[in-house]
Amino acid sequence: MTTPVAAPDWLTPFLAIWGAFLSSIALGWNLFRDLTDRAKIKVEVKIRRLVAVPGGQWYSVAPNLEVDGASQQLFVVMNAVNARRRPIRLQGWGGIYKNPVERKTGFVIIPRGLPRTINEGDTHSEYTELEANCYPANDTVKRFQIWDSTGRNWKISWLKMRKLRREALAAVANNSEQAN
């Protein structure tokens, strides 16, 4: 008859420490995954001209590009891209004024294709006319934003808004020179 072999004294504490280590890694990973698994929209706003293709669809081009069939009218085009896995239902878009205009703090632009659900990697574009005084991309507007069905506002940064204002002024000036 053989005698049973006893486990070394260090084995039990080693297994306990190893189990605690693996549990900590699993907990950390689950927390990281759950905290980063949220909706995220990347928003971009540019000044563009529109071109209609024979199939009835349209696309936007830079204002200084010479493209056959491109409109002379300038537009503010907002692109929203779903950057995460969760689908998002976009509801509307508009902006916030720097100072109240006629006692209103913001404005809503009538959407052409909203509400719409966009999935991972999908994009949606909305547009509105750019007026001769650069509205809605002039100095009275603080920011552009698009909102989803949960009420969350996805806005562009102040830096992008500043670039949009400069782009609008240059495009309107260039457009008026070409008209003359």
Side-chain angles (χ1 to χ4, degrees):
M1 186 159 181
T2 60
T3 60
V5 178
D9 292 339
W10 55 268
L11 185 61
T12 303
F14 173 76
L15 291 176
I17 292 170
W18 182 251
F21 176 71
L22 288 179
S23 297
S24 298
I25 289 176
L27 176 67
W29 174 253
N30 285 333
L31 283 173
F32 171 76
R33 186 193 61 212
D34 292 345
L35 290 175
T36 59
D37 191 23
R38 297 187 219 174
K40 183 176 181 183
I41 297 285
K42 290 188 177 181
V43 180
E44 180 182 68
V45 181
K46 299 226 179 222
I47 304 300
R48 295 287 185 244
R49 292 186 304 147
L50 298 181
V51 179
V53 295
Q57 293 199 352
W58 61 272
Y59 62 95
S60 60
V61 296
N64 56 357
L65 236 107
E66 293 300 324
V67 177
D68 290 337
S71 66
Q72 288 301 312
Q73 174 66 40
L74 296 170
F75 293 90
V76 177
V77 178
M78 175 180 275
N79 296 315
V81 178
N82 186 353
R84 298 253 173 94
R85 292 186 321 142
R86 300 278 179 207
I88 298 173
R89 182 134 179 105
L90 301 175
Q91 292 294 110
W93 74 298
I96 302 293
Y97 291 121
K98 285 183 181 177
N99 299 313
V101 175
E102 298 175 6
R103 292 186 291 189
K104 295 179 183 173
T105 58
F107 61 95
V108 174
I109 298 173
I110 308 235
R112 288 166 165 60
L114 293 179
R116 181 174 176 216
T117 301
I118 57 175
N119 294 312
E120 177 183 10
D122 287 350
T123 183
H124 180 72
S125 297
E126 288 287 331
Y127 62 93
T128 189
E129 289 184 9
L130 181 69
E131 296 177 5
N133 65 353
C134 292
Y135 182 81
N138 59 10
D139 287 334
T140 61
V141 177
K142 182 177 182 180
R143 82 172 76 112
F144 276 105
Q145 60 191 16
I146 191 165
W147 54 90
D148 61 19
S149 57
T150 64
R152 181 155 183 199
N153 295 327
W154 303 91
K155 62 183 181 181
I156 64 171
S157 68
W158 64 270
L159 184 62
K160 288 182 181 178
M161 190 65 198
R162 185 189 305 174
K163 288 180 183 178
L164 178 70
R165 284 188 200 107
R166 283 193 298 245
E167 185 180 351
L169 287 172
V172 166
N174 190 20
N175 208 24
S176 63
E177 285 176 11
Q178 289 179 353
N180 291 334

